[in-house]
Amino acid sequence: MPPKQLVVFDFDWSMADQDSDRWLFEVLAPDIRRKMRDRSREPGNAVQWTDLVAECLRELAHEGRGVTKNDIEGALRQMPFHPAMKRGIEMLKDTSTPIETTLFILSNANKFFIETILDHEGIRDCFDEIVTNPADFDDPIFPNLLVLHKRVGPDEQPHGCTVGCEPNMCKGKELVEYLDRQRQKGVQFDRVIYVGDGSNDFCAVLRMSSHDIVFCRRFRGLERKIADEVSKGDQESRLKCNVEYWVGAWEVEEKFRKYAKLESFVTHP
């Protein structure tokens, strides 16, 4: 039996080379993008990010703007997606590679944004599952309104994370639950690789073992969180997995090629 590995992707600034929430408004409604930035920076701001995006989507759908579903899809298809990342993903799913790799997306963006971009890139079928915030054009009165919901809504049981995850999603809990679902199917992974960049990826990284690896993008929130944790020293640090850093998608592709080889299970913990 070939070794099995799971590769988990955050989406914005990890798989894709942009933030999909912000990108949409920068392309279609810069005035809303300005309001979004100002609201998120207000002192004592209590607006949760997914609520703010949902509010901005409602404003975007206002009849006076004339923005349609097709316009939204067109803007998302223009969002930067590095060819090296696409090549790396396709290579991991190549049946000729000696390691069986499952790809999983764990993102605080939303289903419509992610699937539109993946469909445009022709790689949607590479992914076993996408865990993110639900979103669709399902309002019977406003057909051009993208209705965004939270993964964990206000009326649901709170996830109880103490690491600092957003109220609508604990990535650590979601990763553990995904692995549990796979075990129930008889699938056990020999290694987990996590591709992330933001501080909200940190909880998932803390759930990983000494056999696992995080590909951490430089100069963003996850790098700062990891540095703070490492500074506590071996006795107090909760970080168990191995850390490899990257700046550009070409480096991720390089790492994927390394970890698609059998010898990577011999040379790496």
Side-chain angles (χ1 to χ4, degrees), residues 62-186:
H62 191 276
E63 289 181 3
R65 289 186 179 270
V67 175
T68 66
K69 177 182 177 181
N70 287 340
D71 293 329
I72 291 173
E73 290 174 327
L76 293 170
R77 290 172 184 142
Q78 296 176 58
M79 198 175 96
F81 198 102
H82 202 291
M85 186 65 72
K86 180 178 176 179
R87 285 195 306 265
I89 289 167
E90 291 173 331
M91 181 275 301
L92 288 174
K93 296 304 293 182
D94 189 327
T95 55
S96 66
T97 57
I99 295 173
E100 186 179 326
T101 301
T102 298
L103 305 183
F104 168 48
I105 295 175
L106 182 52
S107 167
N108 209 11
N110 70 72
K111 185 175 184 287
F112 184 82
F113 285 6
I114 293 172
E115 290 192 342
T116 299
I117 293 166
L118 295 182
D119 284 339
H120 177 66
E121 297 296 333
I123 54 174
R124 171 64 184 88
D125 291 342
C126 292
F127 297 91
D128 176 64
E129 190 173 334
I130 300 172
V131 169
T132 187
N133 297 296
D136 209 346
F137 289 88
D138 53 8
D139 189 302
I141 299 174
F142 301 102
N144 292 309
L145 171 60
L146 179 59
V147 181
L148 174 62
H149 302 281
K150 293 181 178 181
R151 171 74 176 173
V152 177
D155 299 326
E156 298 179 65
Q157 182 72 24
H159 53 63
C161 178
T162 59
V163 175
C165 287
E166 290 279 342
N168 64 303
M169 179 184 292
C170 171
K171 287 193 172 184
K173 181 174 182 286
E174 297 286 359
L175 176 58
V176 169
E177 289 180 350
Y178 175 83
L179 293 171
D180 286 343
R181 289 195 295 275
Q182 295 304 303
R183 288 190 194 99
Q184 289 168 14
K185 299 175 187 176

Side-chain angles (χ1 to χ4, degrees), residues 9 32 35 42 50 58 88 99 111 115 124 136 142 147 172 178 228 237 240 242 269:
F9 291 86
I32 298 179
K35 279 194 248 181
E42 288 174 359
T50 308
R58 289 192 292 272
I99 295 173
K111 185 175 184 287
E115 290 192 342
R124 171 64 184 88
D136 209 346
F142 301 102
V147 181
Y178 175 83
D228 289 344
S237 175
K240 301 182 185 70
N242 302 278

Side-chain angles (χ1 to χ4, degrees), residues 24-40:
L24 180 74
F25 299 103
E26 289 172 11
V27 174
L28 295 179
D31 61 314
I32 298 179
R33 174 67 181 94
R34 171 65 65 183
K35 279 194 248 181
M36 173 188 274
R37 192 184 78 161
D38 293 345
R39 285 281 307 281
S40 66

